[in-house]
Amino acid sequence: MQLSVSRRDLSYFFFSQHFSDGLRTTLAILLPAVAGAQWGQFAAGITISTGAVCLSVTDTPGPLQHRRNGLLAALGLVFVGALLVGWLAPYRLALGVVLVGLSFGLTMLLVWGARAGSVGSAALLGMVLTLAHPPEGWQANLLHAGMLGLGGGWYLLLALVQSRVQPYRSAQQALGECLHAVAGFLHIKAAFYNSSTDLDEDYRRLVAQQVVVNEKQEAVRDLIFRSRQIVSESTSTGRRLVLTFTETVDLYEHITAGYYDYGALRAAFGETGILAEIQAFINRLATDLDYLGSAILVNRAYGSPPPDRLAELTQLQARINALPAPDPATGLSTLVLKKILVNLRDLHRRVRSIRRYFDEDQAALAPDPRRVASHTQFVARQELEWSAFGENLTLSSSVFRHAVRMAVACSVAFTVAELLWHGQHNYWILMTVTFMLKPGFSLTRERNIQRISGTLVGGVLGSLVLWAVPDGDVRFGLLLVFMVIAYSFQRTKYLVTVIFLTAYLLIMFSFLGLSYIGVIEERLTDTALGCAIALATAYLLFPRWEGEQLPDLLAATLRANLAYLRQLADRLAGREVLPTTYRLLRKDVYVASANLAAAFQRMLSEPRRTRRHPTEVHEFVVLNHILSANISALTTTWQDAATPNPAVPPEARRVLTSAQAALSKSLARLAAAPAPEVEAAAPATVALLQEVRADALADTASPDRTLAEQLAFLQKVSSDLSRVTEALVA
């Protein structure tokens, strides 16, 4: 397999948020240690660097005010936790009890969201690292905690200065990566026109990429719609970011809406070569979009003019018109290819529209006064309600069960380190446990495998460097490179982080005069012990299997698609659907579908006995994608209020009602509740059944048979979903 890295791939890495975070973290950690070494205070410099390490755990991407609040909370907890550990260090039993109690309490911070959970992780890390060399005496203890706080404050200062100097940089990076993910989704869609690929595998890849796209879109929403400076649209850059992101979301909807019977397409037109040409055009369009994402990420418009895709579309149209009619047995005509061509023209127009991000004239567009008020509806609010902590103190809470597992695992790790294994760095066992134990077993298992294999590879890499590179300056240069790589991938590719983190730690210990062979042996042993404790706890104590979460996720997906289908019924009944309402429903479908797909992927990595109907769940995920894609395809036709609604024949209305009833029945099976009355829940359905268009309209507009066929297909997919749901709950 040939590994090729393009210039565009390099730009996505070197200008990404992850790389800039890696540089900042490396600078924050390295400068205090180097300064301390120069001034003869190396130990103090290392302690200050340790404080910066702790706060870097909390600094996840997000709005500036949220990052600042999280960093300040972590700074306070790291300082207090270090004081407490230093004070209790001589009293090992009391220290163990307090550590176990705090591991529970700090893990429970997850009830207020992932950022609050990372604050708890930073505090735990600070306490564990204090165990490496506990200070003796209250003065030394206060000095140690103060230096940790100083290091944390130094990291906080760097983060705030960078955000103030480049207030839009994070949003630009997130938007560029979002376009990169959408381009990847479009590349996968192109593969459906390749007769040599397996459609089932294509759907697996498509659903997996859908999860990535949703994550990137949520990241952009969080950064843009929670940042007052951007969402107020008072600046040129802010307006262009908001407009470009909304166009990107609309583009993604039109990509997902382009669903066809690919099996029938391949059978009817596979030998003509036209599908290969369509695939090639879609791939070129995806590449154009990828270049746009890279340019926004770099924040520099590329100089070359865009390629003339309109000429290519004209050639493709001529090619389609020249095709002979396919075999009548296939049930298809070249009309379906012309529909694909219309969709491709629309996608091309939208990609060109996104290019306007670099057009300063777009910044002069008058903002919709209703837009600012509606933006906050698209981001989930996480209120800091103290009652949430008490409400989650029950075994029915996944956070509580995780906190109990964390407390038990930490107690076992502390006992092992105290009584059974007396290494020079045996605190590594406890540190490994706190980072390897995750709320779900699948993620815990994955992280443990990556930690062990990464430690092995990193040990070999570090040893090779120490063996082959005797020059200290070159070693220091490699240490810098390894640090930047390790901290750049810590949120995306944990295996890479572990490899280079282990390697740079070995080089660092060599500067301290320690035997790297002994360090490797101890790190491998401590890592193996910590991973074994974390994995055993996740497996044996209140394990959270993804299969147990599936009913709720399946129900949420059905609920979102049912609401999405009802807005279509509203449109066809002539009722107004506000743009904001429609976009919120569309977002709910994307989020619910991505959550379900991600849980399904995690379930497949769990023990076989815990998996629940993997074949049926996969079929449900695919059918759900097809259903939402076809609802989008119909809805996008009449999003414009100026577009007249088509005449809907009575049989088509009954079909749409039947589709809603099938989804309601499926939802009732999963929720173990009575099926909601379609008429009561969706007034538009009553209109579809009872209202008849005026005779004059009926005389001038013939029923849209294509629309009737599309509605019938929705009913068929809904019925298939009902059938699969029945098998899932059987």
Side-chain angles (χ1 to χ4, degrees):
M1 179 179 179
Q2 184 179 2
L3 180 63
S4 60
V5 180
S6 66
R7 181 179 177 182
R8 187 172 70 255
D9 295 329
L10 293 176
S11 69
Y12 269 115
F13 174 71
F14 285 112
F15 290 91
S16 68
Q17 177 77 54
H18 305 298
F19 184 71
S20 62
D21 287 350
L23 284 176
R24 184 179 65 247
T25 303
T26 299
L27 180 65
I29 294 171
L30 197 63
L31 271 185
V34 172
Q38 291 295 321
W39 295 337
Q41 297 291 331
F42 186 64
I46 288 293
T47 304
I48 296 173
S49 296
T50 301
V53 171
C54 294
L55 253 69
S56 70
V57 174
T58 305
D59 193 21
T60 54
L64 177 60
Q65 62 270 29
H66 291 192
R67 292 175 58 203
R68 181 196 61 218
N69 294 341
L71 288 168
L72 287 172
L75 184 61
L77 286 177
V78 166
F79 177 80
V80 172
L83 274 180
L84 192 59
V85 169
W87 175 48
L88 292 174
Y91 315 101
R92 307 306 288 182
L93 179 60
L95 175 63
V97 172
V98 170
L99 275 175
V100 171
L102 286 177
S103 66
F104 173 82
L106 292 171
T107 304
M108 282 293 295
L109 294 181
L110 277 168
V111 300
W112 292 303
R115 190 175 298 277
S118 67
V119 169
S121 298
L124 272 176
L125 179 61
M127 291 189 294
V128 172
L129 291 177
T130 301
L131 289 174
H133 300 287
E136 297 180 2
W138 69 270
Q139 290 179 323
N141 187 26
L142 186 61
L143 180 62
H144 173 81
M147 286 190 292
L148 280 180
L150 180 61
W154 157 241
Y155 182 91
L156 174 61
L157 178 64
L158 275 181
L160 293 181
V161 167
Q162 183 183 18
S163 298
R164 293 297 182 185
V165 172
Q166 298 178 306
Y168 300 105
R169 193 72 193 104
S170 295
Q172 289 169 336
Q173 290 167 328
L175 180 57
E177 291 175 359
C178 180
L179 284 169
H180 182 55
V182 174
F185 189 87
L186 189 54
H187 274 300
I188 296 173
K189 287 281 286 188
F192 282 81
Y193 296 92
N194 187 344
S195 300
S196 64
T197 64
D198 179 66
L199 280 176
D200 191 56
E201 181 60 28
D202 289 340
Y203 272 116
R204 287 185 184 275
R205 294 172 56 225
L206 192 72
V207 169
Q209 185 66 15
Q210 184 182 20
V211 176
V212 177
V213 172
N214 181 71
E215 291 175 352
K216 300 300 182 183
Q217 287 187 351
E218 288 298 296
V220 181
R221 283 192 185 97
D222 200 46
L223 277 167
I224 291 181
F225 295 158
R226 289 186 189 274
S227 298
R228 188 173 303 172
Q229 184 176 7
I230 297 177
V231 80
S232 63
E233 299 178 313
S234 59
T235 64
S236 166
T237 305
R239 291 182 182 181
R240 284 184 286 140
L241 282 169
V242 173
L243 291 171
T244 303
F245 176 62
T246 55
E247 288 177 347
T248 300
V249 175
D250 289 341
L251 170 67
Y252 177 62
E253 180 191 28
H254 280 75
I255 294 172
T256 58
Y259 169 80
Y260 306 96
D261 188 340
Y262 298 103
L265 276 174
R266 292 177 176 187
F269 303 105
E271 296 181 357
T272 65
I274 189 64
L275 297 185
E277 294 181 29
I278 292 174
Q279 179 191 8
F281 179 83
I282 295 175
N283 278 325
R284 290 193 292 272
L285 202 60
T287 301
D288 293 345
L289 186 62
D290 211 13
Y291 272 111
L292 279 172
S294 175
I296 292 174
L297 186 79
V298 177
N299 195 28
R300 183 171 61 247
Y302 52 91
S304 59
D308 184 13
R309 302 293 180 211
L310 287 176
E312 296 177 20
L313 284 169
T314 302
Q315 293 175 4
L316 191 59
Q317 181 178 6
R319 180 82 167 83
I320 292 173
N321 291 335
L323 286 176
D327 186 345
T330 63
L332 293 180
S333 68
T334 55
L335 177 62
V336 67
L337 296 178
K338 294 175 181 177
K339 290 181 178 179
I340 293 173
L341 184 64
V342 170
N343 183 256
L344 294 181
R345 289 185 182 277
D346 183 68
L347 294 181
H348 173 256
R349 178 179 61 82
R350 292 178 182 277
V351 171
R352 289 177 62 88
S353 179
I354 290 175
R355 187 182 173 84
R356 291 189 303 155
Y357 173 84
F358 299 103
D359 184 2
E360 286 291 341
D361 293 338
Q362 185 172 224
L365 295 176
D368 185 345
R370 296 171 297 180
R371 179 186 297 165
V372 176
S374 67
H375 280 333
T376 55
Q377 301 178 51
F378 290 88
V379 289
R381 300 185 62 85
Q382 184 71 45
E383 300 292 343
L384 191 63
E385 298 179 355
W386 296 107
S387 59
F389 193 94
E391 292 170 356
N392 278 271
L393 293 176
T394 169
L395 282 176
S396 61
S397 167
S398 60
V399 175
F400 177 79
R401 294 198 301 271
H402 176 51
V404 170
R405 288 193 294 267
M406 183 66 75
V408 171
C410 286
S411 66
V412 174
F414 184 80
T415 302
V416 169
E418 287 291 309
L419 303 178
L420 302 178
W421 176 250
H422 298 283
Q424 189 175 358
H425 306 90
N426 60 348
Y427 66 92
W428 280 342
I429 303 174
L430 187 58
M431 185 170 64
T432 300
V433 165
T434 58
F435 276 91
M436 291 302 99
L437 187 59
K438 299 297 178 183
F441 175 82
S442 59
L443 186 55
T444 300
R445 176 178 177 271
E446 178 185 359
R447 280 297 181 98
N448 276 267
I449 293 173
Q450 292 175 341
R451 182 64 175 247
I452 294 174
S453 56
T455 301
L456 286 169
V457 176
V460 172
L461 176 61
S463 300
L464 285 175
V465 170
L466 294 174
W467 173 74
V469 183
D471 186 86
D473 292 339
V474 178
R475 286 184 179 181
F476 184 75
L478 290 172
L479 181 143
L480 285 178
V481 173
F482 290 173
M483 286 184 73
V484 172
I485 295 175
Y487 293 117
S488 297
F489 285 99
Q490 62 180 338
R491 295 187 183 94
T492 54
K493 297 184 183 300
Y494 186 69
L495 178 62
V496 176
T497 293
V498 176
I499 290 173
F500 288 94
L501 182 67
T502 303
Y504 104 68
L505 284 176
L506 289 180
I507 299 174
M508 186 184 72
F509 282 128
S510 73
F511 284 121
L512 299 177
L514 298 178
S515 169
Y516 69 90
I517 298 298
V519 172
I520 292 174
E521 292 176 350
E522 186 176 355
R523 186 164 181 84
L524 286 173
T525 303
D526 292 344
T527 297
L529 286 171
C531 288
I533 293 170
L535 195 62
T537 306
Y539 185 81
L540 298 174
L541 189 62
F542 309 128
R544 179 195 170 192
W545 308 116
E546 294 298 335
E548 298 174 358
Q549 320 300 319
L550 282 178
D552 290 339
L553 295 172
L554 291 167
T557 305
L558 283 173
R559 197 175 294 113
N561 259 324
L562 182 57
Y564 203 35
L565 186 60
R566 285 170 178 165
Q567 64 79 28
L568 175 62
D570 277 329
R571 292 179 187 274
L572 295 180
R575 299 180 182 274
E576 182 184 11
V577 178
L578 296 176
T580 299
T581 301
Y582 169 70
R583 293 189 183 107
L584 285 170
L585 292 173
R586 178 183 64 186
K587 173 180 176 285
D588 289 343
V589 169
Y590 290 165
V591 171
S593 300
N595 289 340
L596 174 61
F600 172 66
Q601 291 172 359
R602 292 193 299 268
M603 183 184 74
L604 295 180
S605 67
E606 293 179 342
R608 188 175 298 274
R609 66 173 182 81
T610 66
R611 302 175 193 173
R612 301 204 175 175
H613 306 287
T615 303
E616 288 79 6
V617 173
H618 172 63
E619 185 177 359
F620 185 100
V621 169
V622 172
L623 287 171
N624 168 73
H625 174 79
I626 294 173
L627 177 65
S628 60
N630 280 273
I631 297 174
S632 293
L634 282 167
T635 304
T636 51
T637 307
W638 302 294
Q639 281 190 48
D640 186 359
T643 303
N645 290 322
V648 185
E651 59 271 18
R653 300 179 182 184
R654 288 191 292 271
V655 164
L656 185 57
T657 304
S658 176
Q660 293 182 79
L663 293 182
S664 297
K665 188 176 180 180
S666 300
L667 184 59
R669 287 195 184 104
L670 289 169
E677 293 291 336
V678 175
E679 291 80 10
T685 306
V686 181
L688 283 174
L689 291 173
Q690 298 177 349
E691 292 182 4
V692 178
R693 293 186 179 273
D695 291 341
L697 180 60
D699 290 339
T700 58
S702 60
D704 189 340
R705 293 186 180 181
T706 302
L707 172 63
E709 292 172 358
Q710 290 174 297
L711 293 177
F713 185 72
L714 287 180
Q715 192 273 335
K716 178 183 181 301
V717 177
S718 300
S719 299
D720 288 341
L721 274 171
S722 180
R723 171 183 54 78
V724 174
T725 304
E726 186 176 4
L728 285 169
V729 299

